[in-house]
Amino acid sequence: MPHQHRWHHPLCLAPRPLRPWLTESGSLTARLIAHHPAFSVRVLRQRATAAHRDELAPLGQTRRQRTPMREVLLLSGTQPLVFAHSVTTPQAVRRGFRKFVHVGGRSLGSMLFASPTIARSRLAWCRVDTRHPLWRKAVAAVGPLPVRLWARRSLFYAGGDRLLVTEVFLPPAFATP
């Protein structure tokens, strides 16, 4: 997967209780539901916008252009657990990821892991801080947060189409030092 260098922070730097969540290769949604029966999805925004700079290479783009984007909070009751940000290409929502624009209040994982034709890359993870746009978006969604948060991302493939999913783990559910 064409991740930039900063998405390969050593996993040993992550808090020990968070490591199994960062490396979960199955559906994060399924794991959250198993641990948090009051699980729900709150859609924050879904629209076309410019991809972040560190998303261009994984999406196979060479310049910033308007791309379909979805941001949600994964919650347990009213407690935010994960800020999730997904982005794809305009072509992908007309082909392999047509359902992306129709997921609504369901988790994206329910679509991705239900299809045998969708493949997933290896996971990559890093600490995002105040300089990263996803940290700023998470703060805008939930309020004050520590200056560093752990996140993971992976690409999903439907033929030649790509969908990049990034999940930022939020305290206090996923406390970080």
Side-chain angles (χ1 to χ4, degrees), residues 33-104:
I33 290 170
H35 286 81
H36 301 277
F39 176 84
S40 65
V41 177
R42 180 187 310 153
V43 179
L44 301 172
R45 63 190 67 80
Q46 184 159 345
R47 64 175 188 253
T49 188
H52 302 141
R53 292 192 193 285
D54 68 345
E55 295 172 333
L56 295 177
L59 289 173
Q61 296 179 330
T62 56
R63 62 181 173 81
R64 294 184 81 187
Q65 62 186 40
R66 294 182 62 76
T67 58
M69 179 272 304
R70 171 182 162 94
E71 292 174 342
V72 301
L73 281 177
L74 306 180
L75 305 142
S76 177
T78 60
Q79 176 66 54
L81 303 170
V82 174
F83 171 78
H85 169 88
S86 304
V87 64
T88 188
T89 64
Q91 300 81 10
V93 295
R94 291 191 299 271
R95 297 186 306 225
F97 292 106
R98 287 183 304 277
K99 294 181 182 178
F100 179 77
V101 295
H102 304 292
V103 174

